[in-house]
Amino acid sequence: MSGPRFDVPEADAFTRTYWDAAAGGRLLIRRCGACGRAHHYPREFCPYCWSEDVEWEPASGRAVLYTWSVVHRNDLPPFGERTPYVAAVVDLAEGPRMMTEVVQAQESGLRAGMELEVAFRAGTPVFRPRE
């Protein structure tokens, strides 16, 4: 594939820990030491209490489907090669919501609240139905 890709963010010094873990098949979230709440996407401060006392922790990889949309057309690489695909928002077991993609699921079988588990595609977390 040539040309720019739009499906993987560029890692920086702060997010490298997250992307390195994902490349190794581990999902990380951030947890605040001051208020105890977990959050995602990774930030250097807590979005709830603004504390900078936040640490990386492994997530369980379990989630439930909150909402989704089946994308049938997308001209940005590499999405066009993947259509149709399921763009989704999931509620992680630890509390935060996460934007992602649901894979290995039939469109007719999707339902709010269905149990999912993390999978990884080329170092990027995606979710599939739990068995």
Side-chain angles (χ1 to χ4, degrees):
M1 174 188 310
S2 61
R5 290 189 58 173
F6 299 93
D7 61 328
V8 180
E10 195 170 310
D12 58 25
F14 172 68
T15 61
R16 178 131 350 260
T17 300
Y18 176 82
W19 291 111
D20 287 350
R26 295 180 303 120
L27 179 62
L28 297 180
I29 57 173
R30 301 280 282 175
R31 185 167 302 275
C32 179
C35 73
R37 293 180 75 178
H39 62 271
H40 185 81
Y41 62 91
R43 288 166 259 199
E44 296 186 60
F45 61 90
C46 175
Y48 303 106
C49 73
W50 301 96
S51 171
E52 293 180 3
D53 179 20
V54 290
E55 298 289 332
W56 294 105
E57 75 174 38
S60 67
R62 294 189 346 260
V64 295
L65 185 59
Y66 176 72
T67 191
W68 72 95
S69 179
V70 179
V71 179
H72 293 275
R73 181 178 174 148
N74 189 332
D75 296 328
L76 295 174
F79 298 108
E81 300 166 4
R82 296 181 189 159
T83 58
Y85 63 89
V86 180
V89 176
V90 301
D91 288 329
L92 299 176
E94 293 78 12
R97 283 205 168 127
M98 177 179 178
M99 293 181 65
T100 188
E101 182 178 343
V102 174
V103 298
Q104 302 173 9
Q106 296 295 321
E107 182 176 343
S108 61
L110 297 171
R111 60 178 169 63
M114 75 182 294
E115 294 185 0
L116 305 169
E117 64 186 7
V118 73
F120 293 88
R121 181 181 54 220
T124 301
V126 296
F127 285 78
R128 63 182 174 219
R130 279 185 60 196
E131 296 185 16

